[in-house]
Amino acid sequence: MSAPIRFRLNGTEVAVTAPPNRRLTDVLRLDLGLTGTKVGCEAGDCGACTVLVDGAQACACMIPAAQAEGTQIVTVEGLAAKGEMSALQRAFARHGAAQCGICTPGMLMAASDLLRRNSRPTEDEAMDALGGVLCRCTGYRKIVEAVLDAAANRPEASPPPSGEAVGARLQRVDGLPKLDGTERYGDDVAPADALWLRAVRSPHARAIFTLGDTKALRAKYPGLARVFTARDVPGNNGFGIYPTIKDQPVLADGQVRYRGEAVCALVGDRATIERIRDDELPIAWQPLAPLMGCPAAKAQGASAIHAHLPDNVLITGRVVRGDVEAALAQAAVTAEGAWETSFVEHAYIEPEAGYARRVGDRLEVHACTQQPFAHRDEIAQVMGLPPERVRFIASAVGGGFGGKLDLSLHPLIAMAAWHLDRPVRCVYTRPESMASTTKRHPAAVRGRWGADKEGNLVAIDFDGDFNTGAYASWGPTVATRVPVHASGPYKVGTARAFARAIHTNEPPAGAFRGFGVPQAAVLHEGLMDELADKLGMDRLEFRWKNAIRVGDATATGQVMEHSAGLAACLEALRPHWKRLRAEATEHNRRAGNGHASIRRGVGIGCMWYGIGNTALSNPSTMRLGIAADGRVTLYNGAVDIGQGSTTVLQQIAADALGVPVDCIAQIVADTARTEDAGKTSASRQTFVSGKAAELAGLDLREKVLRLANAGPKARIAIDGRRLRVKDGEAERTVDLSALKPDLPGGDVLTGRGRFDPPTKPLDADGQGVPYATYGFAAQLCDIDVDVELGTVKLRRFVAAHDVGRAINPPLVEGQIHGGIAQGIGLALMEEYIPGRTENLHDYLIPTVGDVPPIDVILIEDREPLGPFGAKGIGEPALVPTAPAILGAIRDATGAVVRKLPALPHRVRAAIKATQGGTQP
Amino acid sequence: MAYLRPHSIEEAVGALAARPLIVLAGGTDHFPARVGPRAEEDILDISAIAEMRGIAEDDRGWRIGALTTWTTVAQADLPPLFDGLKLAAREVGGAQIQNRGTVGGNLCNASPAADGIPPLLSLDAQVELVSAAGPRRMPLADFVQGNRRTARRGDELLRAIYVPRPGHLARGDFLKLGARRYLVISIAMAAGVIERTGENTVAAARIAVGACSASAQRLPALEHAMLGTPIDKSLAMRVTPAQLDALAPIDDIRGSGAYRREAALTLVRRLVGRLAAA
Ligand SMILES: Cc1cc2nc3c(=O)[nH]c(=O)nc-3n(C[C@H](O)[C@H](O)[C@H](O)COP(=O)(O)OP(=O)(O)OC[C@H]3O[C@@H](n4cnc5c(N)ncnc54)[C@H](O)[C@@H]3O)c2cc1C
Ligand code: FES
Ligand code: FES
């Protein structure tokens, strides 16, 4: 069948010559150049590739080209008829339904299938229609709202006036490309002539191997340009997050430490590298007995995974304050318990992707990342090049959550492009992404908490083993952050907390929304519930009584000076708590006569989270420039991974400079054109880069005012090539075209801001000032448990978050919704098992039907250090969710689930274990 | 590499008789099994064979073409006998899967967790296979032989599924247990049909459980115990653990074997209770 395949695409007849079994996603993206249709799995699991075939939604990744023959296909590019956004797309924009945007084309297509048949759907109908599209960012609620609101076709709100951007319910400034399919993610940027790279990965968790001569392979496959091995790494064949720990090889050199580790890389044309099976490579494996799980790695006589760490302990973090044994011995009540969590996969819908090319004696890498500057330096180090000769340009990022903080394909494509002097692209398959990239640390946490008889927390004792997998990655960060947060957001005089990061032959555990704190929170909230019960106190009131407040010292001896809003969060939850508790009691009483299989419960979780790096410098620098033609540009080195930093930083810069927010353009995350804003992690971009943007705006403002000889209250207006500066009655004009355009970017004026949050190093006992500020939150959740099946149905969340100041309330709500959705996954379904759950049907993340209504309450206890009083929200959103769910299960059934996720069989087993015990 | 997309069954079985070919229908099991590097394959795409699509009815019962999609099943105008199959149709993946995935593909793929198999067992379905040598029919229970094993020979296609017309008023039902709301592989599922007499007693009962053994199974001991008994609240009490003894649930990532056995009992009790109350 070499005849062209003909079909109608977005209303136009097309004829493509393609192999008949080629996936329609590839036909659309590669043969026809329409990259709006996204690929997240090629297995029907994510729905990112959803298109309409003869009006009905279908996954293009499972349609062979031949089956397109004679059909009508509509993709996201076909939605904006004549360049005008459809009502549905506009509703998505209004509701903030796209964060990273990688799921958005699929969501839009699934929704348009529904809306064609039914313009006023119910919520259930909308959920049924969207059930096959996964979103990892939004928690789905805003997507469903947008679909239900599409028919209303509301008018656009006008942008806020000068000086009123901060706090406004502004749409994302980078939103439109996410809605019409033009956003360019890692797999959308490569030039047409790029070669393709595929890494060959270890099927063994631990092995030594030899790689034979690949000459025969190259002879068999003329399309194979080269096979790269460890020997081809020009610089240091080791990378890692910490300056002194470069333990992870780009390509393994004779030994592998986890399943999924890259051993060589095939580069060639796409058809060739996809046809070569791993078993065709001349690799002789000698598998060794792997160490799976911390107990195996800690066991007496266990072999060392890294020779320099004979006990497999990478690092132990500690915080010690006072005599814990004595304080616990004197406590009126104590609670003790242990919990275990699993590997959790980030499951961003965009797998790692990008391309690299050589430009003379320089390298250029275009790819997904959460920290372009650190990636530039790391690639340089691996390539043996000075950092100035590497340029990193971040593609749009289809979700990160910590998983794109580490290098993945970057050194491979960089090395291949360098050696071959050809552009080289790569995109991970879903199983490859899942097997090879970092995870959330599985944790085994134990603790004993004590309170006096008045209900004051007096001492906490915490110990945790964190499985950091084969390589260090962010293990040290987790081990130092966890002990600081082990007490939870409570005032406690005496504390002892240890957290160990332990190497195993499992995937490297790295950064994942919360750096170990969500695992620790499962323990502190579980024990807080138990203490409250023992004291006969209400679980919320017990937390309120112990909430850390301004003037209180933390376990590291840091005195809270400002912005400690936990008590306010709990006060805001109190009426909801009382009402939902009363309803649950009533439900269970009535259910007593009949539907005893469903029991209702309400749980609560509290959290705190230090914003920015733990007692380490983490500066950000922002620049704001004005060009001769009056264009204002924010040079913003911070990657927006969907959370909205691009929008927030623009709002802050606009108000600091004193111009309308919509007159600023941006250059984002290009190491050649922006300055280092640090990493998009640790919930730091609003707080740290936001402050830098504010300072940059103020700096530029001062320069403008000086030129205009105006006072600090003057108003600035941009009028073409002139700035009009109005100071009281006087108006002065600054003629921009008279100034020299000799600043970077061709600007005539520039403001620069740098901020590094003030911290003090931790001493040997973990005493010091690890963070400049903390976010606080309390969430409650209302659930039904089917006690016979052990299934949990979430009914509602109420989430109160102290964010200091919400620069953009819809974005904050979006973070909270998305954090809760990931918390639901952590609590109820997500369990990564190497070799077993390396796809999105065995590894389950929440679907649209798994996230209940969420009421968000924003507490704004201003942080004087932050921009306009703001702190961070990215990670705080997720931390209290799992504890709230576990508390609700306990409230409903009396069962304490000790191993997460609380899959139905574990919940059922826990319920059975309570039989004979007391039922609440 | 060959890729054939015939429009008639004759052409298709002719090609199959000539050489081995991978059969491709809706592709929703086919493509997920082919992520990453793979060798080239010779494919017989049967999706253009119109006569294998759709549901037809005559005096003896119903014929469901193997290429009938789950969406077509869910939207079809069918009596309450099919309520279980229709519920299952709405639980196979999400809307995208239901729009393209076929009933025949689900049976031929023969996953232990295939949602189509228990309801069709409870409908007493027969399958019709066809090759160049002609057609043959067999009960679905004989066709599905184990985990991804069927009685289909390499030169055969599954052409249609036949559901006999029951002798009495009948209703079906289906219950699926999974760890999330949409797009979920069943931990366990139960499907059933009860035919009722004029006196409102059980004239016939067919109950099947899926994902609790290598292939879904009917529960003959339970079906027998229900025969002739009144259809009321007491019916669910006829379900006993011993009737599920033949199941052989395994431990896997979705649940433990012991849990599955217990959950299957709960599902079957609830299913029978719902059927009795309907
Ligand atoms: C995201 C996702 C979710 C899913 N969820 C579910 C679920 O919840 N429950 C469930 O049961 N299944 C589920 N499936 C599996 C699948 O969708 C169904 O089994 C579907 O019915 C398969 O039909 P198909 O036409 O797509 O099969 P195909 O993929 O085309 O074929 C499947 C197999 O059957 C063979 N075959 C197909 N038709 C014939 C025929 N007429 N004659 C001979 N051989 C044939 C093929 O050779 C192949 O081996 C899911 C799949 C995906 C991708
Ligand atoms: S890419 Fe098609 S469903 Fe994920
Ligand atoms: S916005 Fe849905 S996956 Fe990012």
Side-chain angles (χ1 to χ4, degrees):
Chain A
M1 287 229 304
S2 54
I5 296 159
R6 293 171 197 282
F7 54 97
R8 277 186 92 77
L9 177 60
N10 298 327
T12 308
E13 203 66 47
V14 294
V16 240
T17 308
N21 67 340
R22 175 171 286 181
R23 295 171 193 267
L24 181 59
T25 35
D26 289 340
V27 174
L28 293 171
R29 294 174 50 82
L30 299 171
D31 296 314
L32 296 166
L34 292 189
T35 52
T37 300
K38 299 303 171 198
V39 175
C41 69
E42 297 195 307
D45 297 317
C46 75
C49 64
T50 300
V51 298
L52 301 185
V53 179
D54 293 331
Q57 57 166 308
C59 292
C61 73
M62 298 189 297
I63 299 177
Q67 289 187 9
E69 177 74 39
T71 62
Q72 307 237 19
I73 290 175
V74 182
T75 67
V76 67
E77 289 92 346
L79 284 184
K82 302 186 204 87
E84 200 178 302
M85 291 280 211
S86 67
L88 177 64
Q89 287 166 306
R90 287 203 304 277
F92 266 58
R94 276 199 308 280
H95 287 272
Q99 287 187 19
C100 80
I102 194 83
C103 70
T104 308
M107 288 289 181
L108 287 168
M109 299 323 292
S112 48
D113 174 10
L114 170 70
L115 294 174
R116 272 161 197 237
R117 289 177 283 113
N118 177 355
S119 66
R120 305 251 170 206
T122 63
E123 184 170 305
D124 282 347
E125 287 166 340
M127 290 201 177
D128 282 351
L130 302 178
V133 191
L134 298 178
C135 173
R136 193 56 156 167
C137 300
T138 65
Y140 302 100
R141 302 303 309 185
K142 286 177 184 280
I143 295 174
V144 173
E145 276 171 28
V147 172
L148 298 181
D149 193 38
N153 208 356
R154 294 173 211 285
E156 300 297 320
S158 42
S162 184
E164 290 177 32
V166 167
R169 295 189 73 86
L170 184 75
Q171 291 183 12
R172 313 179 64 98
V173 299
D174 56 355
L176 295 188
K178 297 176 192 291
L179 298 169
D180 64 8
T182 56
E183 185 73 296
R184 311 264 277 162
Y185 297 89
D187 197 32
D188 305 330
V189 289
D193 64 339
L195 294 173
W196 292 71
L197 180 147
R198 178 171 88 73
V200 175
R201 297 179 179 279
S202 169
H204 305 288
R206 189 177 199 179
I208 49 181
F209 69 94
T210 50
L211 192 60
D213 194 344
T214 56
K215 216 181 276 160
L217 195 70
R218 276 177 289 137
K220 180 172 171 197
Y221 295 103
L224 180 62
R226 185 155 164 187
V227 180
F228 287 90
T229 71
R231 281 192 305 277
D232 299 311
V233 180
N236 176 23
N237 185 17
F239 64 89
I241 298 303
Y242 281 76
T244 53
I245 318 179
K246 303 295 176 197
D247 61 344
Q248 184 162 0
V250 174
L251 288 168
D253 197 359
Q255 119 160 260
V256 291
R257 297 184 176 86
Y258 75 102
R259 180 189 148 83
E261 190 163 351
V263 296
C264 64
L266 311 178
V267 178
D269 65 62
R270 184 167 187 255
T272 300
I273 63 154
E274 289 204 333
R275 206 160 65 215
I276 301 175
R277 296 185 322 275
D278 288 1
D279 59 19
E280 293 183 75
L281 278 129
I283 306 176
W285 292 105
Q286 189 185 327
L288 305 172
L291 298 174
M292 308 299 274
C294 290
K298 275 168 62 178
Q300 200 74 54
S303 54
I305 291 172
H306 295 276
H308 64 284
L309 298 171
D311 59 358
N312 292 318
V313 177
L314 169 64
I315 185 176
T316 304
R318 64 183 248 137
V319 167
V320 178
R321 186 174 180 81
D323 183 344
V324 166
E325 299 295 345
L328 283 174
Q330 282 165 23
V333 288
T334 59
E336 189 169 359
W339 279 264
E340 256 183 76
T341 70
S342 304
F343 274 117
V344 183
E345 156 65 22
H346 302 87
Y348 24 72
I349 304 303
E350 181 205 27
E352 291 71 9
Y355 88 98
R357 64 174 182 175
R358 184 173 179 164
V359 185
D361 65 348
R362 298 161 64 94
L363 247 176
E364 216 175 83
V365 179
H366 301 248
C368 59
T369 180
Q370 289 182 244
Q371 47 171 0
F373 286 84
H375 276 177
R376 175 198 64 184
D377 295 354
E378 204 64 0
I379 292 164
Q381 185 272 125
V382 159
M383 292 301 302
L385 292 172
E388 314 78 73
R389 281 170 58 194
V390 179
R391 177 178 180 188
F392 198 108
I393 301 161
S395 61
V397 180
F401 320 113
K404 289 174 182 166
L405 285 164
D406 291 70
L407 286 186
S408 54
L409 46 70
H410 316 88
L412 296 172
I413 53 176
M415 172 170 71
W418 184 260
H419 284 302
L420 295 169
D421 198 11
R422 283 277 303 273
V424 175
R425 69 189 291 184
C426 174
V427 53
Y428 281 7
T429 64
R430 176 59 56 179
E432 179 179 26
S433 172
M434 294 184 76
S436 67
T437 66
T438 61
K439 302 281 168 285
R440 181 185 294 289
H441 286 73
V445 288
R446 306 165 280 281
R448 199 147 77 95
W449 258 228
D452 66 19
K453 59 181 190 306
E454 284 76 42
N456 300 300
L457 201 59
V458 294
I460 68 115
D461 191 10
F462 171 95
D463 186 88
D465 284 342
F466 288 75
N467 178 349
T468 208
Y471 295 104
S473 180
W474 296 85
T477 313
V478 167
T480 44
R481 188 176 270 272
V482 165
V484 173
H485 290 81
S487 63
Y490 308 111
K491 181 186 175 188
V492 60
T494 308
R496 180 170 67 189
F498 295 101
R500 276 169 295 276
I502 297 170
H503 279 306
T504 63
N505 290 117
E506 293 184 86
F512 191 164
R513 226 172 179 172
F515 286 110
V517 175
Q519 296 94 307
V522 167
L523 180 102
H524 64 64
E525 293 307 278
L527 294 183
M528 287 298 280
D529 278 352
E530 202 180 317
L531 279 181
D533 287 359
K534 285 190 171 165
L535 287 158
M537 289 178 72
D538 178 271
R539 286 173 282 146
L540 181 145
E541 299 304 336
F542 176 56
R543 287 171 166 87
W544 181 82
K545 185 180 175 81
N546 286 288
I548 204 160
R549 292 168 167 86
V550 169
D552 292 339
T554 70
T556 71
Q558 176 177 3
V559 176
M560 288 284 153
E561 287 174 15
H562 307 280
S563 190
L566 178 62
C569 290
L570 288 165
E571 286 155 18
L573 290 187
R574 193 178 274 141
H576 301 274
W577 173 253
K578 288 190 171 149
R579 173 175 48 85
L580 293 171
R581 295 264 295 147
E583 283 171 18
T585 309
E586 175 60 14
H587 170 275
N588 292 341
R589 191 184 57 75
R590 257 189 287 133
N593 354 302
H595 311 281
S597 62
I598 306 291
R599 290 193 63 88
R600 188 159 296 173
V602 188
I604 183 164
C606 294
M607 65 73 62
W608 63 332
Y609 196 79
I611 306 298
N613 291 4
T614 310
L616 288 174
S617 162
N618 64 127
S620 173
T621 305
M622 291 279 148
R623 263 190 309 113
L624 191 63
I626 304 183
D629 60 1
R631 265 184 305 118
V632 185
T633 306
L634 177 64
Y635 300 89
N636 165 11
V639 183
D640 192 326
I641 55 173
Q643 89 285 20
S645 56
T646 297
T647 304
V648 162
L649 297 174
Q650 186 163 322
Q651 287 175 274
I652 292 170
D655 278 11
L657 174 59
V659 298
V661 64
D662 52 344
C663 75
I664 298 183
Q666 293 202 39
I667 289 173
V668 183
D670 174 348
T671 60
R673 295 196 292 168
T674 63
E675 294 193 48
D676 190 355
K679 59 203 164 80
T680 297
S681 84
S683 303
R684 60 181 288 285
Q685 290 300 20
T686 297
F687 178 60
V688 184
S689 290
K691 189 70 193 178
E694 183 189 4
L695 295 173
L698 291 174
D699 185 32
L700 180 57
R701 177 178 173 81
E702 205 183 297
K703 288 177 180 160
V704 170
L705 298 185
R706 206 181 306 137
L707 273 179
N709 206 5
K713 294 232 163 71
R715 299 173 67 89
I716 300 173
I718 303 167
D719 179 7
R721 296 175 169 270
R722 279 188 296 263
L723 299 179
R724 297 189 187 284
V725 182
K726 211 167 171 186
D727 193 4
E729 292 304 291
E731 185 180 289
R732 294 192 183 80
T733 305
V734 177
D735 183 0
L736 295 169
S737 45
L739 302 174
K740 274 204 213 96
D742 55 0
L743 291 163
D747 290 332
V748 294
L749 288 170
T750 191
R752 192 163 177 275
R754 180 179 188 276
F755 180 61
D756 191 4
T759 61
K760 283 203 195 98
L762 299 178
D763 68 14
D765 278 336
Q767 300 298 298
V769 178
Y771 307 104
T773 189
Y774 295 80
F776 292 90
Q779 294 177 355
L780 61 82
C781 115
D782 180 25
I783 69 168
D784 279 345
V785 182
D786 183 325
V787 294
E788 289 169 345
L789 291 175
T791 50
V792 172
K793 181 169 171 22
L794 304 172
R795 293 168 45 81
R796 176 170 297 279
F797 276 90
V798 188
H801 282 256
D802 168 23
V803 297
R805 175 88 191 272
I807 305 288
N808 184 314
L811 287 175
V812 174
E813 290 156 17
Q815 286 302 293
I816 294 171
H817 287 188
I820 286 176
Q822 291 186 355
I824 291 169
L826 170 71
L828 295 180
M829 61 186 85
E830 298 188 31
E831 181 166 16
Y832 177 78
I833 306 169
R836 306 273 305 272
T837 61
E838 289 167 358
N839 56 59
L840 293 175
H841 48 267
D842 291 316
Y843 185 85
L844 301 182
I845 67 171
T847 67
V848 66
D850 298 299
V851 183
I854 300 169
D855 299 325
V856 173
I857 302 169
L858 295 182
I859 304 293
E860 301 189 278
D861 188 342
R862 306 282 158 102
E863 166 53 57
L865 280 174
F868 298 89
K871 305 190 279 193
I873 183 62
E875 289 152 299
L878 171 143
V879 180
T881 305
I885 294 171
L886 294 179
I889 294 174
R890 179 174 178 273
D891 185 45
T893 66
V896 181
V897 180
R898 299 279 175 189
K899 165 122 177 126
L900 269 53
L903 289 168
H905 67 106
R906 295 195 182 122
V907 175
R908 175 68 188 146
I911 290 170
K912 285 168 92 173
T914 64
Q915 275 168 4
T918 49
Q919 290 272 329
Chain B
M1 186 207 76
Y3 193 100
L4 309 176
R5 194 169 187 239
H7 289 262
S8 75
I9 295 227
E10 293 67 36
E11 278 176 80
V13 295
L16 275 182
R19 58 166 156 161
L21 292 164
I22 305 276
V23 176
L24 172 64
T28 62
D29 278 314
H30 176 94
F31 281 102
R34 285 162 176 78
V35 178
R38 59 190 145 117
E40 300 205 322
E41 296 171 320
D42 295 328
I43 288 178
L44 175 66
D45 178 340
I46 57 172
S47 62
I49 305 175
E51 64 180 287
M52 281 173 69
R53 269 181 204 282
I55 304 174
E57 185 181 353
D58 67 14
D59 293 350
R60 280 160 302 157
W62 292 263
R63 174 191 185 274
I64 303 173
L67 287 177
T68 307
T69 65
W70 290 111
T71 299
T72 304
V73 170
Q75 292 173 354
D77 185 12
L78 292 167
L81 169 69
F82 286 91
D83 282 2
L85 185 66
K86 288 183 139 195
L87 281 174
R90 302 194 55 212
E91 297 273 353
V92 176
Q96 300 95 322
I97 309 298
Q98 293 156 22
N99 284 340
R100 302 205 59 97
T102 65
V103 180
N106 192 250
L107 302 188
C108 289
N109 190 58
S111 156
D115 285 320
I117 295 178
L120 285 167
L121 285 175
S122 74
L123 290 167
D124 219 4
Q126 300 242 325
V127 299
E128 183 190 42
L129 295 161
V130 58
S131 70
R136 60 176 178 140
R137 268 206 205 191
M138 67 180 75
L140 175 61
D142 295 342
F143 176 71
V144 181
Q145 296 185 329
N147 182 359
R148 297 183 191 271
R149 280 195 303 118
T150 69
R152 183 178 84 86
R153 293 192 314 262
D155 66 338
E156 285 178 316
L157 284 183
L158 174 60
R159 179 154 69 185
I161 298 107
Y162 289 87
V163 174
R165 192 175 290 280
H168 302 80
L169 214 58
R171 176 178 292 277
D173 204 348
F174 175 79
L175 278 174
K176 170 167 173 172
L177 171 64
R180 70 177 176 187
R181 173 64 191 87
Y182 293 104
L183 286 182
V184 66
I185 302 174
S186 297
I187 300 170
M189 69 198 123
V193 165
I194 291 181
E195 297 182 27
R196 63 177 77 205
T197 63
E199 291 76 48
N200 207 29
T201 59
V202 176
R206 291 178 296 276
I207 312 288
V209 171
C212 286
S213 37
S215 51
Q217 287 190 26
R218 294 258 301 264
L219 301 177
L222 168 61
E223 294 172 1
H224 188 76
M226 285 164 64
L227 269 188
T229 62
I231 299 180
D232 57 23
K233 274 195 174 154
S234 69
L235 195 60
M237 274 148 26
R238 309 244 164 220
V239 182
T240 67
Q243 294 156 348
L244 280 72
D245 274 353
L247 300 178
I250 55 161
D251 290 342
D252 69 8
I253 51 170
R254 286 178 275 278
S256 64
Y259 168 78
R260 279 206 162 86
R261 183 177 292 283
E262 195 190 51
L265 181 66
T266 301
L267 291 180
V268 170
R269 282 211 172 109
R270 289 185 185 177
L271 181 92
V272 172
R274 282 196 349 185
L275 280 168

